[in-house]
Amino acid sequence: MDHLSPLDAAFLDIEDADPHASLAIASVAVVEGPAPTHDEFLALMRARLPVLPRARQKLLRVPLDLGTPGWQDDPAFNLAYHVRRTALPAPGGDAELSALIARVMGQRLDRDRPLWEYWVVEGLAGGRWAIVAKVHHCLVDGVGGTMLYDVMYGDAPAPDPAPEQDASLLSLLGAAVTSPMRTARLVASAVSGLVSLVGSLLPVHASSLFGPLGTARHYRIVRASLAEVKQVAHTFGGTVNDVVLAAVSSAYRAVLLARGERPDPESVRTMVPVSVRGDRRMDNQVSVRLAFLPVEAEHVVDALSVVHQRFAALKKGNEAEAGHAVTELARHEPFAPLSWSIRLGAMLPQRSIVTVTTNVPGPREELRVLGRPIVEILPYVPIAVRIRTGIAVLSYADRLTIGITADYDSNPDVDVLAEALHEAFATLVSAAKARVTPSPPVAASKRRARTARPRTRAARPGAAPR
């Protein structure tokens, strides 16, 4: 029997400890053209399921948590239960789609069945339809979720099988004996990173941005041009992720100011997942970096500079490597105390992390579903353990889409966050264009005329004056 890794199992433990959490991730493919019939879509899913063995398997808990949960074939598997169909009310715009996504994602998946659902959504504006792909986080991380698109709608091969989970220290000791220098370097890097990581878990300044959650959710959509965001990164120096985090910083600053709260430098720490994926397995292969967002910066361009400096320093601090090392070591430790500690920690009122910001590269080429083009993909990230908002960013072809998840009761002003995020991207793009735009030809010629020095030549005998 295949077993979950400790990291995969941790998402189940957190969900068990937080009655208001639904730890499923999702992506929403918006598709051009008429929606297929229910039988047509079922036939597509039935044809693809053989390359996704987890789609027909359900969880099996090990008694007393003596090992991580395992996967077993569901003898009562019924594809029709997992593939559902609904329609939006008119006019079928972003508001109606967002309300549906929030409602679907606020409901937990049934642990007695395979942990996924696909929803075909009719009635989108412009004659479009959508597919909501809902999968529990114990199955995939963000990058693994985008790999599903290449498998389901592209030509990608089946994912790699999961490795066997070794519950002893023998393999770890064997690595230390056979590669002592490499092991020593990994340990030193992990220790250095852990010191930095632990220091990043100090409590933040109190604000309304974090606290107890309910079960209902808001969802909002923000869009940006990937080419323009890349141009901002190129113009000011940095990465696409830096630009995203700068815009997010500006948006949270706007929310704090709108609520009459002070945007202190140590009031908004975000958790940024970092992929450590080395193969095509569909499980979780992710670590994290933790950093304060510069909400104190009045201008988003200034925030971009600070974000770039902070995350460049974090990369040198080995935080992500340390987090990965801890999860790898957990594979060799008894699972029961690890599981109990995760559940206990999830029940305690954490005051260190205010939000999560995840940026996942999606498919680079346009994909099709039953011959119909996917025009955009919207991401969804779950929230739990007093984190009242989460922001997911996904690139697809030349588009960048941002999905905002927010606790319903504590974020009645979620539109302030969405609008401020949109404005932050627009401001960054305008600033980048202003910085690289060449001077108008007329103005340039006038400057040349003012600065040019007159040239004189000695007159030749008999030459006409110029």
mmCIF file of all heavy atoms in Angstrom, residues 7-8 137 139-147 159-160 274-287 324 360:
data_model
loop_
_atom_site.group_PDB
_atom_site.id
_atom_site.type_symbol
_atom_site.label_atom_id
_atom_site.label_comp_id
_atom_site.label_asym_id
_atom_site.label_seq_id
_atom_site.Cartn_x
_atom_site.Cartn_y
_atom_site.Cartn_z
ATOM 1 N N LEU A 7 4.405 15.392 5.018
ATOM 2 C CA LEU A 7 3.921 16.702 4.589
ATOM 3 C C LEU A 7 2.510 16.598 4.029
ATOM 4 O O LEU A 7 1.641 17.436 4.329
ATOM 5 C CB LEU A 7 4.867 17.292 3.548
ATOM 6 C CG LEU A 7 4.478 18.660 2.970
ATOM 7 C CD1 LEU A 7 4.342 19.701 4.077
ATOM 8 C CD2 LEU A 7 5.498 19.111 1.935
ATOM 9 N N ASP A 8 2.254 15.574 3.209
ATOM 10 C CA ASP A 8 0.897 15.373 2.694
ATOM 11 C C ASP A 8 -0.092 15.176 3.843
ATOM 12 O O ASP A 8 -1.174 15.763 3.863
ATOM 13 C CB ASP A 8 0.848 14.150 1.780
ATOM 14 C CG ASP A 8 1.673 14.312 0.519
ATOM 15 O OD1 ASP A 8 1.937 15.468 0.129
ATOM 16 O OD2 ASP A 8 2.060 13.293 -0.074
ATOM 17 N N HIS A 137 -5.570 19.186 -0.630
ATOM 18 C CA HIS A 137 -4.159 19.574 -0.602
ATOM 19 C C HIS A 137 -3.247 18.395 -0.233
ATOM 20 O O HIS A 137 -2.048 18.422 -0.527
ATOM 21 C CB HIS A 137 -3.957 20.712 0.397
ATOM 22 C CG HIS A 137 -2.882 21.674 0.007
ATOM 23 N ND1 HIS A 137 -1.753 21.295 -0.691
ATOM 24 C CD2 HIS A 137 -2.755 23.013 0.217
ATOM 25 C CE1 HIS A 137 -0.979 22.354 -0.887
ATOM 26 N NE2 HIS A 137 -1.561 23.399 -0.352
ATOM 27 N N LEU A 139 -3.208 15.688 -1.646
ATOM 28 C CA LEU A 139 -2.893 15.010 -2.904
ATOM 29 C C LEU A 139 -1.873 15.758 -3.739
ATOM 30 O O LEU A 139 -0.982 15.155 -4.346
ATOM 31 C CB LEU A 139 -4.169 14.833 -3.731
ATOM 32 C CG LEU A 139 -5.067 13.649 -3.401
ATOM 33 C CD1 LEU A 139 -6.429 13.835 -4.032
ATOM 34 C CD2 LEU A 139 -4.433 12.372 -3.894
ATOM 35 N N VAL A 140 -2.000 17.076 -3.806
ATOM 36 C CA VAL A 140 -1.141 17.875 -4.690
ATOM 37 C C VAL A 140 -0.843 19.221 -4.053
ATOM 38 O O VAL A 140 -1.587 19.715 -3.202
ATOM 39 C CB VAL A 140 -1.804 18.125 -6.066
ATOM 40 C CG1 VAL A 140 -1.969 16.849 -6.852
ATOM 41 C CG2 VAL A 140 -3.147 18.833 -5.908
ATOM 42 N N ASP A 141 0.273 19.824 -4.488
ATOM 43 C CA ASP A 141 0.531 21.226 -4.190
ATOM 44 C C ASP A 141 0.156 22.041 -5.425
ATOM 45 O O ASP A 141 -0.420 21.518 -6.384
ATOM 46 C CB ASP A 141 1.984 21.451 -3.763
ATOM 47 C CG ASP A 141 2.996 20.954 -4.799
ATOM 48 O OD1 ASP A 141 2.613 20.815 -5.984
ATOM 49 O OD2 ASP A 141 4.155 20.717 -4.436
ATOM 50 N N GLY A 142 0.469 23.342 -5.407
ATOM 51 C CA GLY A 142 0.075 24.196 -6.510
ATOM 52 C C GLY A 142 0.670 23.778 -7.839
ATOM 53 O O GLY A 142 -0.018 23.734 -8.870
ATOM 54 N N VAL A 143 1.962 23.462 -7.839
ATOM 55 C CA VAL A 143 2.620 23.056 -9.082
ATOM 56 C C VAL A 143 2.067 21.720 -9.558
ATOM 57 O O VAL A 143 1.819 21.519 -10.755
ATOM 58 C CB VAL A 143 4.145 22.979 -8.887
ATOM 59 C CG1 VAL A 143 4.819 22.434 -10.141
ATOM 60 C CG2 VAL A 143 4.704 24.352 -8.535
ATOM 61 N N GLY A 144 1.847 20.796 -8.619
ATOM 62 C CA GLY A 144 1.250 19.517 -8.986
ATOM 63 C C GLY A 144 -0.136 19.689 -9.570
ATOM 64 O O GLY A 144 -0.538 18.977 -10.498
ATOM 65 N N GLY A 145 -0.872 20.681 -9.044
ATOM 66 C CA GLY A 145 -2.202 20.940 -9.570
ATOM 67 C C GLY A 145 -2.174 21.407 -11.013
ATOM 68 O O GLY A 145 -3.026 21.014 -11.826
ATOM 69 N N THR A 146 -1.199 22.240 -11.361
ATOM 70 C CA THR A 146 -1.105 22.688 -12.750
ATOM 71 C C THR A 146 -0.641 21.559 -13.670
ATOM 72 O O THR A 146 -0.980 21.537 -14.860
ATOM 73 C CB THR A 146 -0.147 23.878 -12.888
ATOM 74 O OG1 THR A 146 1.167 23.497 -12.478
ATOM 75 C CG2 THR A 146 -0.618 25.048 -12.044
ATOM 76 N N MET A 147 0.130 20.610 -13.107
ATOM 77 C CA MET A 147 0.512 19.449 -13.913
ATOM 78 C C MET A 147 -0.704 18.649 -14.349
ATOM 79 O O MET A 147 -0.704 18.009 -15.406
ATOM 80 C CB MET A 147 1.470 18.552 -13.113
ATOM 81 C CG MET A 147 2.880 19.104 -12.955
ATOM 82 S SD MET A 147 3.855 18.172 -11.732
ATOM 83 C CE MET A 147 3.728 16.508 -12.372
ATOM 84 N N PRO A 159 1.906 10.934 -14.370
ATOM 85 C CA PRO A 159 2.833 11.363 -13.321
ATOM 86 C C PRO A 159 3.701 10.210 -12.836
ATOM 87 O O PRO A 159 3.356 9.034 -12.988
ATOM 88 C CB PRO A 159 1.899 11.855 -12.201
ATOM 89 C CG PRO A 159 0.581 12.082 -12.866
ATOM 90 C CD PRO A 159 0.508 11.121 -14.001
ATOM 91 N N ASP A 160 4.843 10.557 -12.246
ATOM 92 C CA ASP A 160 5.722 9.539 -11.675
ATOM 93 C C ASP A 160 5.061 8.908 -10.456
ATOM 94 O O ASP A 160 4.332 9.584 -9.712
ATOM 95 C CB ASP A 160 7.060 10.164 -11.244
ATOM 96 C CG ASP A 160 7.827 10.721 -12.426
ATOM 97 O OD1 ASP A 160 7.602 10.230 -13.554
ATOM 98 O OD2 ASP A 160 8.638 11.641 -12.230
ATOM 99 N N VAL A 274 7.403 27.694 -1.635
ATOM 100 C CA VAL A 274 8.508 27.580 -2.584
ATOM 101 C C VAL A 274 8.572 26.134 -3.059
ATOM 102 O O VAL A 274 8.690 25.207 -2.245
ATOM 103 C CB VAL A 274 9.849 27.985 -1.944
ATOM 104 C CG1 VAL A 274 10.988 27.821 -2.933
ATOM 105 C CG2 VAL A 274 9.784 29.416 -1.426
ATOM 106 N N SER A 275 8.502 25.924 -4.353
ATOM 107 C CA SER A 275 8.556 24.572 -4.890
ATOM 108 C C SER A 275 9.962 23.996 -4.749
ATOM 109 O O SER A 275 10.949 24.661 -5.060
ATOM 110 C CB SER A 275 8.139 24.565 -6.361
ATOM 111 O OG SER A 275 8.259 23.258 -6.906
ATOM 112 N N VAL A 276 10.050 22.759 -4.263
ATOM 113 C CA VAL A 276 11.318 22.027 -4.224
ATOM 114 C C VAL A 276 11.181 20.766 -5.077
ATOM 115 O O VAL A 276 11.830 19.757 -4.835
ATOM 116 C CB VAL A 276 11.712 21.663 -2.768
ATOM 117 C CG1 VAL A 276 12.055 22.917 -1.983
ATOM 118 C CG2 VAL A 276 10.591 20.902 -2.054
ATOM 119 N N ARG A 277 10.326 20.873 -6.078
ATOM 120 C CA ARG A 277 9.993 19.720 -6.918
ATOM 121 C C ARG A 277 11.180 19.292 -7.755
ATOM 122 O O ARG A 277 11.804 20.100 -8.428
ATOM 123 C CB ARG A 277 8.807 20.083 -7.817
ATOM 124 C CG ARG A 277 8.273 18.936 -8.659
ATOM 125 C CD ARG A 277 6.949 19.330 -9.276
ATOM 126 N NE ARG A 277 5.957 19.571 -8.236
ATOM 127 C CZ ARG A 277 5.251 18.604 -7.635
ATOM 128 N NH1 ARG A 277 5.440 17.332 -7.990
ATOM 129 N NH2 ARG A 277 4.380 18.891 -6.698
ATOM 130 N N GLY A 278 11.446 17.982 -7.708
ATOM 131 C CA GLY A 278 12.532 17.429 -8.494
ATOM 132 C C GLY A 278 12.078 16.360 -9.464
ATOM 133 O O GLY A 278 12.892 15.760 -10.173
ATOM 134 N N ASP A 279 10.769 16.093 -9.504
ATOM 135 C CA ASP A 279 10.244 15.073 -10.407
ATOM 136 C C ASP A 279 8.797 15.401 -10.728
ATOM 137 O O ASP A 279 8.298 16.471 -10.380
ATOM 138 C CB ASP A 279 10.358 13.670 -9.777
ATOM 139 C CG ASP A 279 9.744 13.610 -8.387
ATOM 140 O OD1 ASP A 279 8.675 14.235 -8.183
ATOM 141 O OD2 ASP A 279 10.313 12.960 -7.494
ATOM 142 N N ARG A 280 8.105 14.482 -11.378
ATOM 143 C CA ARG A 280 6.731 14.724 -11.818
ATOM 144 C C ARG A 280 5.719 14.000 -10.942
ATOM 145 O O ARG A 280 4.615 13.669 -11.385
ATOM 146 C CB ARG A 280 6.558 14.308 -13.274
ATOM 147 C CG ARG A 280 7.404 15.103 -14.255
ATOM 148 C CD ARG A 280 7.019 14.799 -15.693
ATOM 149 N NE ARG A 280 5.689 15.292 -16.020
ATOM 150 C CZ ARG A 280 4.597 14.540 -16.062
ATOM 151 N NH1 ARG A 280 4.664 13.241 -15.762
ATOM 152 N NH2 ARG A 280 3.427 15.054 -16.372
ATOM 153 N N ARG A 281 6.048 13.742 -9.683
ATOM 154 C CA ARG A 281 5.060 13.178 -8.777
ATOM 155 C C ARG A 281 3.996 14.227 -8.466
ATOM 156 O O ARG A 281 4.263 15.419 -8.485
ATOM 157 C CB ARG A 281 5.724 12.697 -7.482
ATOM 158 C CG ARG A 281 6.561 11.433 -7.654
ATOM 159 C CD ARG A 281 7.129 10.975 -6.331
ATOM 160 N NE ARG A 281 8.220 11.843 -5.890
ATOM 161 C CZ ARG A 281 8.264 12.441 -4.702
ATOM 162 N NH1 ARG A 281 7.264 12.325 -3.857
ATOM 163 N NH2 ARG A 281 9.300 13.188 -4.374
ATOM 164 N N MET A 282 2.796 13.778 -8.128
ATOM 165 C CA MET A 282 1.688 14.687 -7.892
ATOM 166 C C MET A 282 1.526 15.072 -6.430
ATOM 167 O O MET A 282 0.583 15.767 -6.078
ATOM 168 C CB MET A 282 0.383 14.037 -8.382
ATOM 169 C CG MET A 282 0.391 13.674 -9.851
ATOM 170 S SD MET A 282 0.612 15.092 -10.957
ATOM 171 C CE MET A 282 -0.909 15.950 -10.706
ATOM 172 N N ASP A 283 2.425 14.624 -5.545
ATOM 173 C CA ASP A 283 2.272 14.926 -4.127
ATOM 174 C C ASP A 283 2.814 16.319 -3.821
ATOM 175 O O ASP A 283 3.178 17.083 -4.714
ATOM 176 C CB ASP A 283 2.969 13.859 -3.273
ATOM 177 C CG ASP A 283 4.461 13.776 -3.562
ATOM 178 O OD1 ASP A 283 4.915 14.402 -4.543
ATOM 179 O OD2 ASP A 283 5.175 13.098 -2.814
ATOM 180 N N ASN A 284 2.877 16.661 -2.524
ATOM 181 C CA ASN A 284 3.388 17.966 -2.111
ATOM 182 C C ASN A 284 4.909 17.943 -2.037
ATOM 183 O O ASN A 284 5.500 17.139 -1.319
ATOM 184 C CB ASN A 284 2.816 18.331 -0.738
ATOM 185 C CG ASN A 284 1.364 18.742 -0.808
ATOM 186 O OD1 ASN A 284 1.050 19.891 -1.067
ATOM 187 N ND2 ASN A 284 0.467 17.777 -0.614
ATOM 188 N N GLN A 285 5.528 18.819 -2.791
ATOM 189 C CA GLN A 285 6.979 19.003 -2.753
ATOM 190 C C GLN A 285 7.228 20.503 -2.658
ATOM 191 O O GLN A 285 7.513 21.175 -3.635
ATOM 192 C CB GLN A 285 7.636 18.412 -3.999
ATOM 193 C CG GLN A 285 7.412 16.910 -4.160
ATOM 194 C CD GLN A 285 8.116 16.359 -5.376
ATOM 195 O OE1 GLN A 285 9.325 16.532 -5.557
ATOM 196 N NE2 GLN A 285 7.376 15.681 -6.231
ATOM 197 N N VAL A 286 7.064 21.010 -1.442
ATOM 198 C CA VAL A 286 7.055 22.448 -1.244
ATOM 199 C C VAL A 286 7.645 22.789 0.112
ATOM 200 O O VAL A 286 7.543 22.025 1.062
ATOM 201 C CB VAL A 286 5.601 22.985 -1.358
ATOM 202 C CG1 VAL A 286 4.735 22.487 -0.211
ATOM 203 C CG2 VAL A 286 5.571 24.488 -1.443
ATOM 204 N N SER A 287 8.313 23.939 0.165
ATOM 205 C CA SER A 287 8.779 24.511 1.415
ATOM 206 C C SER A 287 8.242 25.943 1.479
ATOM 207 O O SER A 287 7.372 26.318 0.678
ATOM 208 C CB SER A 287 10.312 24.476 1.488
ATOM 209 O OG SER A 287 10.755 24.901 2.753
ATOM 210 N N HIS A 324 12.509 22.268 3.813
ATOM 211 C CA HIS A 324 12.515 21.020 3.056
ATOM 212 C C HIS A 324 13.261 19.929 3.814
ATOM 213 O O HIS A 324 12.830 18.767 3.843
ATOM 214 C CB HIS A 324 13.157 21.260 1.690
ATOM 215 C CG HIS A 324 13.223 20.044 0.822
ATOM 216 N ND1 HIS A 324 12.121 19.278 0.536
ATOM 217 C CD2 HIS A 324 14.279 19.450 0.192
ATOM 218 C CE1 HIS A 324 12.483 18.272 -0.248
ATOM 219 N NE2 HIS A 324 13.783 18.353 -0.463
ATOM 220 N N VAL A 360 2.226 30.471 -8.839
ATOM 221 C CA VAL A 360 2.485 29.201 -9.521
ATOM 222 C C VAL A 360 2.521 29.413 -11.031
ATOM 223 O O VAL A 360 1.584 29.994 -11.590
ATOM 224 C CB VAL A 360 1.403 28.159 -9.173
ATOM 225 C CG1 VAL A 360 1.623 26.869 -9.951
ATOM 226 C CG2 VAL A 360 1.393 27.876 -7.669
#
